[in-house]
Amino acid sequence: MQEELNEFERNKVWHLEPKPKGKKVIGMKWVFRNKLDEHGTIVRNKAKLVVKGYNQQEGIDFDETFAPVARLEAIRILVFVEQPPGFENLKFLNHVFKLDKALYGLKKAPRAWYERLSKFLLKNDFKRGKVDKTLFLKSRGTDLLVI
């Protein structure tokens, strides 16, 4: 769990601030998974902190459905989440995290993933499809890679 929180800090996913009056705060939960090797032996325990996205309500926590054609400058994530269970800051119990980036479980997480993936592909010489903007192509000689 600490490893996951260290990643959030390194990637500047959120920042702690006083709970805003009149704003709904979305809960968080830990999801645990065992990673197995090819023989089915547990090689690592993985903890992932996710937002309880099922608590979001239309018009309150989000106001649009992900569509890859949305203009990125129109996207604003103004979401507040509880402090992670078991890792609350005892000096700031009345504080919450304001998300600066999307987390798993958020309704806007697919948009954030698409944005990250498309930037990576374009930076690595893929071309975006002209008709379908979610199609990426890269050719080298007679080889064609389609994503």
Side-chain angles (χ1 to χ4, degrees):
M1 291 186 292
Q2 188 62 56
E3 220 175 278
E4 176 88 342
L5 293 175
N6 291 344
E7 282 295 310
F8 287 178
E9 188 173 318
R10 187 178 67 79
N11 289 313
K12 297 180 172 94
V13 170
W14 56 27
H15 62 275
L16 195 62
E17 61 179 56
K19 182 179 177 184
K21 289 184 169 120
K23 294 284 184 181
K24 183 177 178 214
V25 178
I26 300 172
M28 302 187 78
K29 66 179 181 177
W30 289 103
V31 175
F32 303 98
R33 195 175 91 209
N34 293 325
K35 291 212 168 197
L36 308 175
D37 65 11
E38 63 274 3
H39 305 293
T41 305
I42 296 174
V43 292
R44 186 166 188 236
N45 297 313
K46 180 78 174 145
K48 183 180 285 189
L49 185 64
V50 299
V51 175
K52 295 178 182 175
Y54 52 83
N55 288 338
Q56 292 177 274
Q57 296 176 19
E58 186 82 36
I60 297 173
D61 305 309
F62 69 103
D63 59 2
E64 56 191 23
T65 302
F66 169 66
V69 295
R71 297 177 57 94
L72 295 179
E73 59 268 19
I75 300 167
R76 289 176 179 77
I77 297 177
L78 297 172
V79 176
F80 297 93
V81 295
E82 295 174 348
Q83 294 185 50
F87 291 86
E88 294 86 356
N89 186 322
L90 298 178
K91 292 182 183 176
F92 300 101
L93 288 175
N94 199 30
H95 283 53
V96 295
F97 281 106
K98 180 176 180 234
L99 293 183
D100 297 318
K101 297 183 179 178
L103 286 178
Y104 288 107
L106 275 179
K107 300 296 184 190
K108 291 184 180 182
R111 178 189 312 276
W113 170 244
Y114 174 79
E115 179 183 350
R116 184 174 179 180
L117 176 63
S118 62
K119 281 182 183 177
F120 173 82
L121 293 172
L122 293 170
K123 186 172 127 182
N124 287 281
D125 302 321
F126 281 82
K127 304 291 181 221
R128 191 185 306 263
K130 290 185 170 123
V131 175
D132 184 350
K133 301 297 181 188
T134 64
L135 178 71
F136 294 88
L137 307 164
K138 184 174 183 176
S139 60
R140 186 177 296 156
T142 59
D143 295 326
L144 177 65
L145 178 58
V146 179
I147 296 180

